[in-house]
Amino acid sequence: MTETIQKTLRDSAAMRWTVLFFLAFAMFCSYIFMDILSPIKDLMQSTRGWDSTAFGTMQGSETFLNVFVFFLIFAGIILDKMGVRFTAVLSGVVMLVGATINWYAVTESFAGSSLETWFTDNLNYIPGFDELGISPFYLGMPASAKLAAVGFMIFGCGVEMAGIMVSRGIVKWFKGREMALAMGSEMALARLGVATCMIFSPVFARLGGHVDVSRSVAFGVVLLMIALIMFIVYFFLDRKLDSQTGEAEEKDDPFKVSDIGRILRSSGFWLVALLCVLYYSAIFPFQKYAVNMLQCNLTFTQVPSDSFWAGTTVTVIQYVIMLVVAGAAFASNFSRKASLRYSMLALAVVSLVVFCYMGYMRQSAETVFAVFPLLAVGITPILGNYVDHKGKAASMLIVGSLLLIACHLTFAFLLPMLKGNAVGGVILAYFTILVLGASFSLVPASLWPSVPKLVDAKIIGSAYALIFWIQNIGLWLFPLLIGKVLDKTNSQLVADLTNGVITPEQAAISYDYTAPLVMLACLGVAALILGLVLKVVDKKKGYGLELPNIQD
């Protein structure tokens, strides 16, 4: 009697990776919107009156509802009860609604409207939140920043819900297979959104010689529409998988509040969660200020308006070269022939050098920082594959912490020393940004795949939600802190701006970033200590974090 083995979509490598592409592309679009205003902080100050405190408060608002209304906890419960399909579509809709509100806030239509008057006169005092110092608004905050903060809060609920859903979806489709490679690859593609944002956001804002920051945000809104389509496609593929396997969606497995207690009693869970908040707080808030930090620490010259380097054509060419860098570096990980692998690596390296040269010739901080995710795209799959087959996840986190510390201290002390050195400063900036992006790639490749080793499969969604909630505390706090620290440590600059001694355009590129960068380096030190502790605890309790994901 011959036993027939039925293959499912999950058993097909092509289908698994196709599903991963849909999830990763949706997150790619969300990453673009997350930082859509970051490369134009100077324009937000000069055209909308957002100083560093207003900018930081608005950027920190993304995680406000997740942290203080515990939306992420509810998102985890929704994920565990309703399943990945429902959560995928819901997160896409929520992101799009929030982004649309955010876009309207920075349009010319909002300026001078009755709604602007209402926001100017209201939300200046939030009982309870003001006393605790956690209000997402404050007296004197520009009305456009307030409404943008409201939209960003809603978007933040959707994007963090999408984050835990994608992690759960990858576990569902890749468990027992190339899970760390899949998670690392998803994050590598998603982070190309950072480079895309840095390259195109300023272009849309300055399109046609007229500055309009709402065009940049509109670009992000359109991409989120595409992200929603990606999630809808995933919905049908995932439903097909369950029909093949006969598995019930996760909603049939009832959630118990006591499950959260089981998660919180795990010391390994707490160490992973705290490592996440330290890592992400040292990176994501920094991304929101990185372009402005480079504007303040590097010497750029004005490119003639009729020059090739000032046109929009060069933007498209540079972006295509970026895709070549990312594609060749990523594909080299999957080449079986050594000659082909080394050829693609050589192409990636040459293209990266060309990309950096073009960024230098364009004389803009945005195109310099756009290099941030490119090294990560190439090495994240390598790291994920290594963790799948060799392990050593906790050890990788220690290495990542050391790199994190070194990069922020370089930005704080070495980069300002090269101000005035047009070539040397840009070279140091490129190198440090590449290393920082590479260090960050250690998190998805080693940390996220470790979570299933710490909790039961039934409550993975809740575990990811709790980790995201804890990390969101840092993502709310540190953009706000950086903005406040910038204004406090640049009090003379703020006073000169207030008194009309300097223009908003001059003030926007004259900040001293030393104190905020040292603060971020301290987060790296704390992460290093926790990484060492995690390694000891893992050895003592046998979580298996240093063991490979794929067992022979």
Side-chain angles (χ1 to χ4, degrees):
M1 182 175 177
T2 305
E3 183 179 346
T4 302
I5 300 175
Q6 180 182 3
K7 285 197 171 186
T8 67
L9 291 177
R10 184 165 51 199
D11 296 318
S12 165
M15 285 308 305
R16 283 200 306 274
W17 287 90
T18 299
V19 166
L20 182 72
F21 171 77
F22 288 130
L23 294 176
F25 191 81
M27 294 308 294
F28 165 84
C29 296
S30 69
Y31 267 54
I32 290 176
F33 193 86
M34 194 182 300
D35 280 314
I36 199 72
L37 295 180
S38 301
I40 53 174
K41 176 182 180 291
D42 58 325
L43 298 181
M44 299 309 298
Q45 180 159 352
S46 59
T47 66
R48 293 295 183 267
W50 295 14
D51 60 13
S52 292
T53 300
F55 183 83
T57 303
M58 196 289 297
Q59 294 283 27
S61 68
E62 177 200 339
T63 58
F64 182 83
L65 294 178
N66 291 325
V67 174
F68 297 108
V69 187
F70 303 103
F71 181 81
L72 258 179
I73 307 300
F74 299 131
I77 296 173
I78 291 170
L79 179 57
D80 281 332
K81 288 181 70 69
M82 303 303 293
V84 290
R85 295 195 292 272
F86 175 86
T87 310
V89 176
L90 178 62
S91 63
V93 171
V94 172
M95 282 194 293
L96 185 57
V97 170
T100 303
I101 295 172
N102 189 280
W103 163 76
Y104 177 68
V106 297
T107 60
E108 296 292 344
S109 299
F110 175 74
S113 67
S114 57
L115 191 58
E116 181 189 40
T117 303
W118 189 91
F119 271 92
T120 300
D121 297 337
N122 294 277
L123 300 179
N124 295 314
Y125 171 72
I126 311 296
F129 288 100
D130 272 271
E131 283 75 10
L132 293 173
I134 58 174
S135 176
F137 314 107
Y138 61 86
L139 181 63
M141 185 175 181
S144 58
K146 288 181 183 177
L147 181 57
V150 172
F152 215 35
M153 286 180 205
I154 298 171
F155 166 80
C157 291
V159 74
E160 297 301 334
M161 186 193 303
I164 59 175
M165 179 280 300
V166 167
S167 296
R168 180 65 177 268
I170 292 174
V171 170
K172 180 176 181 178
W173 282 77
F174 285 87
K175 191 170 185 179
R177 296 177 175 87
E178 324 92 329
M179 188 163 63
L181 177 61
M183 285 192 172
S185 300
E186 178 271 324
M187 191 54 70
L189 176 59
R191 285 195 184 131
L192 285 179
V194 178
T196 304
C197 169
M198 297 299 162
I199 290 175
F200 284 105
S201 179
V203 171
F204 282 110
R206 296 185 172 95
L207 200 62
H210 170 67
V211 174
D212 185 354
V213 294
S214 69
R215 287 195 296 255
S216 297
V217 185
F219 167 63
V221 171
V222 171
L223 289 175
L224 288 177
M225 293 177 185
I226 298 173
L228 178 57
I229 294 172
M230 296 292 101
F231 281 144
I232 292 172
V233 173
Y234 170 78
F235 178 97
F236 290 105
L237 289 174
D238 194 78
R239 188 170 68 176
K240 176 67 173 177
L241 173 65
D242 280 354
S243 69
Q244 291 178 333
T245 61
E247 296 174 0
E249 253 283 65
E250 294 87 339
K251 62 182 178 182
D252 292 332
D253 196 0
F255 173 87
K256 298 186 182 71
V257 175
S258 59
D259 290 337
I260 294 181
R262 289 165 54 198
I263 297 170
L264 297 180
R265 284 193 294 271
S266 168
S267 58
F269 165 82
W270 276 109
L271 287 171
V272 168
L274 291 174
L275 273 166
C276 278
V277 72
L278 292 170
Y279 259 104
Y280 280 80
S281 296
I283 299 289
F284 281 126
F286 170 73
Q287 284 179 193
K288 298 181 184 301
Y289 290 87
V291 170
N292 189 236
M293 182 274 294
L294 293 175
Q295 290 172 335
C296 295
N297 285 320
L298 294 177
T299 301
F300 293 107
T301 56
Q302 183 70 37
V303 178
S305 58
D306 59 347
S307 168
F308 166 76
W309 301 107
T312 55
T313 302
V314 70
T315 303
V316 177
I317 294 173
Q318 190 181 18
Y319 189 69
V320 171
I321 293 173
M322 184 203 79
L323 294 178
V324 172
V325 175
F330 185 79
S332 68
N333 291 281
F334 304 94
S335 303
R336 297 185 181 275
K337 293 183 178 180
S339 58
L340 182 59
R341 180 168 62 252
Y342 291 129
S343 296
M344 284 193 287
L345 282 174
L347 175 62
V349 171
V350 171
S351 300
L352 179 61
V353 171
V354 174
F355 180 88
C356 292
Y357 172 75
M358 295 181 74
Y360 168 74
M361 292 301 294
R362 294 182 67 187
Q363 288 292 292
S364 68
E366 312 91 82
T367 53
V368 172
F369 189 71
V371 80
F372 175 70
L374 295 189
L375 185 57
V377 171
I379 72 167
T380 300
I382 296 174
L383 296 173
N385 194 47
Y386 185 86
V387 172
D388 280 331
H389 293 90
K390 302 294 184 181
K392 304 298 180 184
S395 299
M396 285 189 177
L397 294 171
I398 294 171
V399 175
S401 301
L402 291 170
L403 294 175
L404 195 65
I405 297 166
C407 289
H408 282 311
L409 291 180
T410 298
F411 285 132
F413 298 107
L414 296 184
L415 194 62
M417 293 171 61
L418 293 177
K419 188 174 178 66
N421 186 333
V423 177
V426 171
I427 290 175
L428 180 62
Y430 270 135
F431 178 78
T432 311
I433 292 166
L434 282 167
V435 173
L436 184 65
S439 73
F440 194 34
S441 66
L442 291 163
V443 179
S446 56
L447 205 58
W448 292 125
S450 300
V451 177
K453 296 179 180 180
L454 301 172
V455 299
D456 293 338
K458 182 176 78 71
I459 52 175
I460 286 177
S462 298
Y464 278 125
L466 282 170
I467 292 175
F468 274 60
W469 178 72
I470 293 168
Q471 106 182 10
N472 268 244
I473 296 174
L475 299 185
W476 160 76
L477 178 63
F478 282 93
L480 188 150
L481 270 183
I482 294 173
K484 288 184 178 293
V485 169
L486 271 178
D487 281 340
K488 291 293 184 183
T489 56
N490 291 270
S491 55
Q492 186 58 53
L493 183 147
V494 173
D496 289 345
L497 176 62
T498 303
N499 296 327
V501 177
I502 57 175
T503 65
E505 291 80 6
Q506 291 172 321
I509 57 172
S510 302
Y511 285 96
D512 180 352
Y513 269 84
T514 304
L517 289 167
V518 170
M519 177 176 67
L520 296 177
C522 290
L523 294 179
V525 173
L528 173 62
I529 295 171
L530 281 181
L532 294 169
V533 173
L534 178 63
K535 192 169 183 178
V536 172
V537 171
D538 174 58
K539 187 174 182 180
K540 181 180 177 181
K541 297 199 173 183
Y543 289 122
L545 301 183
E546 292 284 271
L547 298 178
N549 292 323
I550 299 176
Q551 301 292 335
D552 296 326

